[in-house]
Amino acid sequence: MNGKRILLIIGGGIAAYKALELIRRLRDRGASVRCVLTEGGAQFVTPLSVAALSEQPVYTDLFSLKDETEMGHIQLSREADLLLVCPATADLIAKMAVGLAGDLASTVLLATDKPVAIVPAMNVRMWQHPATRRNVACLRADGVAVMEPTEGPMACGEYGPGRLPDVPDIVNWVAAQLEDAPRPLAGHKILVTAGPTHEPIDPVRYIANRSSGKQGYAVAEALAKLGAQVTLVSGPTSLPTPAGVTRVDVETAREMAAACQSALPVDAAVCVAAVADWRVEESPQKIKKDASGTPALTFIENPDILAALSRPGENRPRLVVGFAAETENVIQHAKAKIARKGCDWIVANDVSPASGVAGGVMGGDRNAVHIITPTQVESWPEAAKADVATLLAERIAHALAQPR
Ligand code: C5P
């Protein structure tokens, strides 16, 4: 942490007293620490103690003329390598999640262009409340690093998760946040497709599939974390856009195909979407239940996006990766798919109920995949979709680093 500048925002919770120790330990490790105290924070620790320990002025008031002339709030938010909120109270987390800026701490957090890390601490019920769960998930999706609170007896007499972790553990976690993450995909453009497609039958009905988009979104996020410029072409999902990713929403396979072509040229394309193989000859009016009996649906083949992207030509990405959801003979079918579609790799997963993956693959949070290239098959152990995505993104970075 030598020479790193931390802007520590101290929220108003009983754990604020530990922020004093944190300032000392961060400084012991070579960081400089400048502090913002919320109004609540100043009820638990005094500006004088914070100023004495940080050996810097302490900032408390958004409308303080003195502070603004010495150091504007925008400058305060930018002159740091990391904004660290500790303790992060339920109130401050909620303000951050909705982007409120009514006091100095929340304004600085909204105005910054620097990484933000929070160490929540609160009563167990507050930590487990759906509103806090929602707000924390929202912050994570915005790219904020969140340290999990620990479990144990609380100052209020209750027991459970919500305690501020021990100061040495916070210091190590902060050090990890300050490490410059490797960005091997910086300068590379990557297209990712994700989610299902919806194929209309008539103006009110459609055909879809069980894809949640979770694996594709995780792949987009992992690639962006490695520095790639990611365009995520997404079918209808309920997922938030991963931090740093450009998302293009589509409904049908044909819209997805057009959006993918518009995203070209790219260095790599990763087709995770569960694209409908067929669309229906669409009725312009709602099909009525009448005496003419059961309607017949006529299916028309959809464009194959993966095959189109894989076709040799000026715009073919250097690396095209397909996904294959299979319910039997997973590896055999995936190998045939590489040949048929012309892509470079297939990530094959067994989506049958017999796969044994906890929670099921379609819609679940875990996956067990085989990475198949024309020359080799590698089976990865079952893991969280996010971990599968991280490994795959590292593989892609390695492949794009090879000379052409
Ligand atoms: O054989 P199947 O079409 O199921 O192969 C799945 C792979 O092909 C996935 O990568 C999927 O995103 C892609 N695909 C596509 N366009 C289609 C159908 C599938 O890009 N119309």
Side-chain angles (χ1 to χ4, degrees):
M1 279 194 268
N2 240 343
K4 297 285 186 188
R5 299 159 309 169
I6 297 172
L7 183 68
L8 174 63
I9 296 165
I10 304 173
I14 181 63
Y17 77 93
K18 290 193 191 171
L20 298 178
E21 176 72 6
L22 180 62
I23 297 169
R24 294 200 58 171
R25 297 300 152 235
L26 290 170
R27 294 191 65 205
D28 286 348
R29 295 274 292 263
S32 70
V33 185
R34 182 180 272 164
C35 296
V36 169
L37 263 178
T38 65
E39 203 182 332
Q43 299 290 325
F44 290 94
V45 291
T46 67
L48 193 60
S49 324
V50 174
L53 289 169
S54 65
E55 292 187 85
Q56 302 231 25
V58 178
Y59 300 88
T60 51
D61 188 359
L62 179 59
F63 302 108
S64 154
L65 201 56
K66 180 172 164 291
D67 290 354
E68 277 296 311
T69 46
E70 276 175 6
M71 160 85 66
H73 60 273
I74 302 288
Q75 196 186 346
L76 192 59
S77 74
R78 309 273 166 89
E79 280 195 357
D81 298 299
L82 178 76
L83 269 64
L84 174 65
V85 186
C86 180
T89 58
D91 178 71
L92 201 42
I93 288 172
K95 282 181 177 148
M96 289 172 75
V98 291
L100 290 180
D103 60 8
L104 182 62
S106 53
T107 303
V108 160
L109 285 159
L110 196 63
T112 193
D113 57 357
K114 294 294 179 336
V116 177
I118 67 168
V119 190
M122 65 195 74
N123 166 273
V124 53
R125 304 256 173 270
M126 292 167 80
W127 175 246
Q128 289 174 338
H129 193 283
T132 307
R133 306 281 78 225
R134 207 164 46 234
N135 291 334
V136 169
C138 190
L139 291 185
R140 283 204 163 105
D142 288 346
V144 172
V146 181
M147 187 174 187
E148 280 296 313
T150 55
E151 191 172 321
M154 317 203 115
C156 55
E158 290 191 60
Y159 186 96
R163 297 180 75 221
L164 197 81
D166 291 337
V167 170
D169 294 338
I170 301 177
V171 172
N172 287 335
W173 183 78
V174 171
Q177 305 311 307
L178 281 164
E179 264 171 30
D180 293 325
R183 292 171 67 82
L185 286 172
H188 286 102
K189 282 186 175 178
I190 304 189
L191 165 68
V192 178
T193 70
T197 61
H198 285 183
E199 307 296 332
I201 296 171
D202 64 23
V204 294
R205 302 183 179 96
Y206 61 83
I207 290 181
N209 59 61
R210 294 187 193 281
S211 167
S212 63
K214 284 180 185 169
Q215 185 65 78
Y217 276 57
V219 168
E221 181 168 4
L223 291 166
K225 272 195 185 142
L226 295 188
Q229 197 181 323
V230 179
T231 302
L232 172 64
V233 178
S234 173
T237 72
S238 53
L239 301 173
T241 308
V245 166
T246 306
R247 170 167 157 186
V248 181
D249 285 323
V250 296
E251 286 209 354
T252 66
R254 281 184 297 172
E255 286 169 9
M256 188 173 273
C260 288
Q261 288 301 320
S262 303
L264 298 179
V266 292
D267 298 289
V270 190
C271 295
V272 196
V275 185
D277 289 323
W278 299 279
R279 66 179 177 276
V280 176
E281 196 171 277
E282 193 182 347
S283 161
Q285 304 300 334
K286 185 180 171 194
I287 301 171
K288 305 297 281 181
K289 194 162 73 171
D290 57 22
S292 57
T294 314
L297 298 181
T298 305
F299 287 96
I300 307 165
E301 197 169 338
N302 264 333
D304 191 311
I305 302 165
L306 178 61
L309 291 169
S310 303
R311 220 163 278 141
E314 203 185 313
N315 259 347
R316 188 198 193 275
R318 269 182 73 192
L319 180 69
V320 184
V321 182
F323 268 64
E326 303 287 355
T327 53
E328 53 174 359
N329 299 331
V330 176
I331 293 173
Q332 200 185 323
H333 282 151
K335 279 184 171 170
K337 206 160 282 182
I338 290 198
R340 200 167 67 241
K341 305 238 186 187
C343 60
D344 302 299
W345 307 347
I346 283 279
V347 181
N349 43 24
D350 183 350
V351 295
S352 69
S355 69
V357 173
V361 172
M362 281 278 198
D365 290 317
R366 297 181 70 76
N367 206 351
V369 302
H370 312 275
I371 307 294
I372 293 148
T373 70
T375 52
Q376 66 183 54
V377 177
E378 209 180 299
S379 299
W380 291 354
E382 184 194 316
K385 285 183 174 173
D387 294 333
V388 169
T390 302
L391 278 177
L392 182 64
E394 282 166 5
R395 270 305 160 85
I396 291 171
H398 183 257
L400 291 180
Q402 304 308 310
R404 280 167 202 271

